[in-house]
Amino acid sequence: YAFATTSLILPAVLDRLGVRAVTLNSTIEERKVTIPEQEFELGLQQLARICAPLEADMALRFDVGGEKIFLIDEHGRVLPGTTALAAMAILALKTHKGGAIAVPVTQSCIFEKIASYYGGTVIRTKADPSTLMQTATRDEVILAGDGTGNFIIPEFQPAIDGIIAFAKLLEYLAIHRMRLSEAVAQVPPYYTASRNVECPWEAKGRVMRLLNERFKDSMSKQVDGIRIELGESEWALVLPDPDRPLCRVYCEAASQDRAQELVEQ
């Protein structure tokens, strides 16, 4: 529970759902309002190690605000954010027999493959929570997420909420009589890489113009930043950071080495 107030709410919800839960970090500590990244990762790995010995169906960690959720399957494998979102998308599309999934342009193209297979569609958004939440108000959207632990269940409310996302995940798995690892096994393989590149404030506009000029024949519809289509399932996205003097580079390719090579290029 990340030593936060989520521990005051979720136990009652889980009890009504018939879930037997082993709780950790359920005391509220004001000094834990922020958790250093290294400490967070250590806690996540510790949670993964105890999942299998407890014969748990899954493990879950919240962030301090109760918005982000981080999933671990019954084998103790920590799910990358994109994998968790893709598994949830598969379950939602199977349950609703179609619908629209909203994801930012920074995410893998596997979401189009998943949606196509289950008779759904994908709406690409800008890489910010407010745009994702605004898109979630559309009638056809059944799930929205950003691949970093934020999930939106529009039928409940078009806002990021870890508790309802966890409850819906349990519901989907129960409906389809699946384990979390079985949903993850249906996620297509994907290879992505990203990194921050320092860029002075005054140079950001010039960088975007140069990219626009150089790759004007390789650009798809621009939603956020400059996205360059480099081939089938191969693309690069350069996105200026709104708060810091840097640009974020995202790439996807047919292999992890190639994705990393594109990022460096």
Side-chain angles (χ1 to χ4, degrees):
Y1 285 109
F3 302 102
T5 52
T6 317
S7 61
L8 300 177
I9 303 166
L10 187 59
V13 175
L14 295 180
D15 185 59
R16 290 186 64 180
L17 294 176
V19 175
R20 292 183 293 111
V22 176
T23 61
L24 302 171
N25 303 334
S26 58
T27 57
I28 298 174
E29 295 188 22
E30 294 181 3
R31 62 184 180 85
K32 294 284 189 177
V33 171
T34 59
I35 299 175
E37 184 177 351
Q38 186 176 1
E39 181 181 339
F40 175 85
E41 289 297 331
L42 178 62
L44 199 60
Q45 294 302 322
Q46 289 174 336
L47 185 60
R49 285 195 293 272
I50 68 173
C51 189
L54 288 175
E55 297 183 351
D57 292 299
M58 72 177 71
L60 174 140
R61 182 181 175 115
F62 285 96
D63 71 345
V64 175
E67 295 179 333
K68 290 180 181 284
I69 58 173
F70 304 89
L71 301 174
I72 298 166
D73 71 11
E74 71 273 15
H75 301 301
R77 295 179 297 196
V78 179
L79 304 188
T82 296
T83 301
L85 178 57
M88 187 75 128
I90 289 169
L91 291 167
L93 288 165
K94 288 178 67 173
T95 302
H96 291 271
K97 295 180 172 55
I101 306 294
V103 298
V105 291
T106 55
Q107 280 298 301
S108 166
C109 60
I110 60 167
F111 290 96
E112 277 76 11
K113 296 178 183 177
I114 290 169
S116 175
Y117 185 81
Y118 290 101
T121 57
V122 174
I123 301 173
R124 291 287 178 168
T125 75
K126 291 185 176 182
D128 68 79
S130 60
T131 304
L132 196 65
M133 288 188 285
Q134 181 61 39
T135 305
T137 63
R138 295 167 60 166
D139 291 340
E140 69 270 29
V141 177
I142 59 172
L143 174 71
D146 65 0
T148 69
N150 290 317
F151 292 86
I152 300 172
I153 308 297
E155 65 186 274
F156 178 68
Q157 63 176 351
I160 296 167
D161 187 326
I163 290 179
I164 187 62
F166 184 31
K168 290 302 290 188
L169 173 60
L170 294 173
E171 177 186 327
Y172 291 153
L173 292 173
I175 287 172
H176 300 290
R177 299 183 179 276
M178 295 175 67
R179 299 177 74 84
L180 181 55
S181 63
E182 293 173 328
V184 170
Q186 296 180 19
V187 175
Y190 64 93
Y191 305 97
T192 57
S194 64
R195 65 166 288 186
N196 290 332
V197 180
E198 292 183 4
C199 181
W201 290 103
E202 62 274 13
K204 286 184 179 181
R206 187 164 72 253
V207 167
M208 293 297 105
R209 285 194 299 273
L210 287 170
L211 287 169
N212 193 45
E213 291 169 4
R214 180 177 176 184
F215 296 103
K216 61 183 178 181
D217 296 329
S218 304
M219 292 184 351
S220 59
K221 179 182 177 183
Q222 301 302 302
V223 177
D224 200 4
I226 298 289
R227 177 164 167 143
I228 306 156
E229 302 296 335
L230 300 169
E232 186 177 356
S233 300
E234 187 171 292
W235 53 267
L237 173 71
V238 180
L239 187 64
D241 190 284
D243 303 313
R244 296 173 293 172
L246 57 84
C247 289
R248 186 78 172 164
V249 180
Y250 301 86
C251 292
E252 182 169 23
S255 69
Q256 195 61 52
D257 287 344
R258 174 58 178 161
Q260 193 60 51
E261 178 186 330
L262 280 176
V263 164
E264 298 305 324
Q265 181 182 329

